[in-house]
Amino acid sequence: MNATHYAAEFSPLEIPAEGRVWLRELLNSQPVPIANALAERHRRTYDAARDKGQSNPMRPANVGLREFVEASEGVLSADASDNEIRAFAARRSHECDHSMRRVNGDEMATYAAGHGVVTRFGLVPPKPNHNRTLLGCIERMRDERWWRNQLHKIHGRKHEQQARSIGLVHKRAGLYISEYGFQRYIGRQNSNARALIDTIAVCETGEEFSLAEIADKGVSNPSIRRKEMMARIAGIERYAESQGDVALFASITTPPELHAVHSKSLEPGDGQHVTPREGQKWLMVQWRKIRAKLNRASINAYGLRVAEPHHDGTPHWHALLFVDPTRVESLRRILTDYFVDGSTSPARQKRACDLKAIDPQRGSATGYIAKYISKGIDGHGLDYAATLDSDGQQIGLEADPKDAAQRVRAWASQWGIRQFQFMGTPAIGPWRELRRIRSQIAGNPKAEALRKAADEGDYARYMELMGGAALKSSERPARVCYTTEAERGRYGEAKQRAYLDAFGVTYTTRPVRWKIEYRPAGDRRNRNTTDQCDQNITGSEANGHPTEPVTGNIELYFVNELPGSKLAQRRSREHLDSWK
């Protein structure tokens, strides 16, 4: 339904002239897809009330529309553009700075002043922790970029949830994420890509590369990310085989009351006002309970879990777990008990946690999880049949796997949901740092064996040398550590530099310094080829010899968006209280 001409469909007896203005203004206050859905819902409510013989059938339709629009109101309108968000962030950061400067007190009083401004506009103030100082929190609250990022996040999630609540997110409308939210994500990705091209990293040796070139050589590249994950899971499977452990595949769903839309009828569900983040939180809380129970029962389960959306954006998990064959039934019972969570519904007891043993004769464990890894990254190697929903029904959109994977990434980005989580296996940080060292490590055979395993992509050997599965990070022989530099960062906090600690010896893996220059015209000085980026590291110190950790980590300030134009004048809205 076209919201632009919706009010004109009613006769003067149904809606008076001033009422048409009110209805048109309310619909125009929303983005076009949401406005069209609201107009359709307004018509359905009106028709239902009229068919029941109500004396004023327009009233319930108007009340529902007004309540939705009022709920969408905030510091920014639902259809606020990036330029408007940027301008609003600039004003609020100046206001916060002015408020804090007026306080003639210590840092705590200054923080309190900024805290009041931030909370007044619906944002969550930064809190000091082991990585963030009180001064750093103060500087963030007076920083325009911090405000802009927070506003983008809060604004996007609020209005995406409203789109879910009126049925704009499901397999017949917007798969995983609304079309409006998806186009907003695409726009920001394009803006980020342009910014990366125009931002240059300059090495102290004179070499320079665009951030786009650097990102394309690392795990920011979806293809490289997928390959690294597949190498890890294949290595974990080989390690499990050497230990005699068996593989299990679990499909885990959230309770029905957390789903926004029924999968078959597409009618609103009990969870239409529950966000995907809340659904993910429920899964994570149950998983923490399970991990604690497994630890008490001395059950060592390790592997990978993948979070992906149902067609309506509600998260569910797929997990590949390896465990001792004698503990399979205990693991099955614990998983089922916690994810069923006391429900007496037979359907819930069946669907909460479907755990299957993987038969090696029918396929490898890596093959089972490969589809879900690809679905969440780039859709590589999948055909259209792989876009079936959880009930085995074809999705309503003509989306190929690559498009569907992009929508999954948009969903995860919008709601801040971590897609992949390895469990009980060595951290990937030491693996990546070891791969930066291009020559043999002298004088430390154990560290050299670890470096060789990482360099050759042998994750099974790497996992074995790192102590196997389910070992605490503090007990593993290699870890990434950080040293504090004298130089201060954007928010006045000391910068940190990563280095590798392997078998009690520290190794410098990032010996050179970089600085960032923004060159919109793409001007380059002393242009080099990108072959150097393939080596992960430059400088003669990265030769595998033990050194003291050096300062000067690579400074990569990824720009979120390009500078925009001035704020456009917002239209005024009339509120006809007598007609509402």
Side-chain angles (χ1 to χ4, degrees), residues 161-341:
Q161 177 58 25
Q162 289 196 308
R164 295 179 75 244
S165 71
I166 58 174
L168 292 181
V169 183
H170 57 73
K171 57 190 172 185
R172 306 294 178 187
L175 184 65
Y176 312 142
I177 185 172
S178 68
E179 284 299 323
Y180 174 67
F182 182 61
Q183 293 304 321
R184 187 169 57 236
Y185 168 81
I186 293 298
R188 294 206 70 193
Q189 289 296 105
N190 292 338
S191 179
N192 290 346
R194 292 193 299 271
L196 292 180
I197 292 173
D198 292 338
T199 307
I200 311 302
V202 182
C203 179
E204 62 185 1
T205 62
E207 298 157 329
E208 57 183 48
F209 312 99
S210 72
L211 295 193
E213 292 171 319
I214 295 174
D216 192 55
K217 297 294 182 179
V219 291
S220 297
N221 184 324
S223 177
I224 293 176
R225 185 186 182 198
R226 172 177 47 77
K227 291 174 181 177
E228 181 186 76
M229 293 195 66
M230 292 303 299
R232 290 179 72 183
I233 198 63
I236 294 170
E237 181 179 14
R238 293 196 304 274
Y239 171 84
E241 290 174 352
S242 69
Q243 300 297 310
D245 294 337
V246 296
L248 305 172
F249 188 80
S251 294
I252 302 162
T253 62
T254 53
E257 58 267 23
L258 300 183
H259 287 255
V261 175
H262 292 288
S263 61
K264 294 183 179 179
S265 67
L266 302 184
E267 292 296 320
D270 296 335
Q272 64 180 126
H273 299 296
V274 178
T275 69
R277 278 183 67 83
E278 292 170 328
Q280 177 76 353
K281 181 179 179 180
W282 184 90
L283 290 168
M284 293 178 68
V285 167
Q286 299 307 107
W287 186 254
R288 282 196 293 268
K289 296 177 183 177
I290 289 170
R291 296 294 294 180
K293 179 68 173 180
L294 294 177
N295 288 335
R296 292 194 297 270
S298 299
I299 298 176
N300 177 20
Y302 56 97
L304 167 70
R305 65 98 171 141
V306 179
E308 65 176 23
H310 282 290
H311 69 105
D312 65 350
T314 305
H316 64 279
W317 288 1
H318 297 288
L320 177 62
L321 301 172
F322 298 92
V323 69
D324 186 290
T326 63
R327 312 309 298 272
V328 169
E329 289 307 315
S330 297
L331 176 62
R332 184 189 305 274
R333 183 173 61 254
I334 292 172
L335 289 174
T336 302
D337 288 347
Y338 278 94
F339 283 118
V340 170
D341 198 26

Side-chain angles (χ1 to χ4, degrees), residues 381-400:
L382 301 180
D383 55 23
Y384 185 69
T387 60
L388 299 176
D389 67 16
S390 60
D391 296 319
Q393 302 294 320
Q394 289 281 359
I395 61 174
L397 299 177
E398 294 297 328
D400 65 29

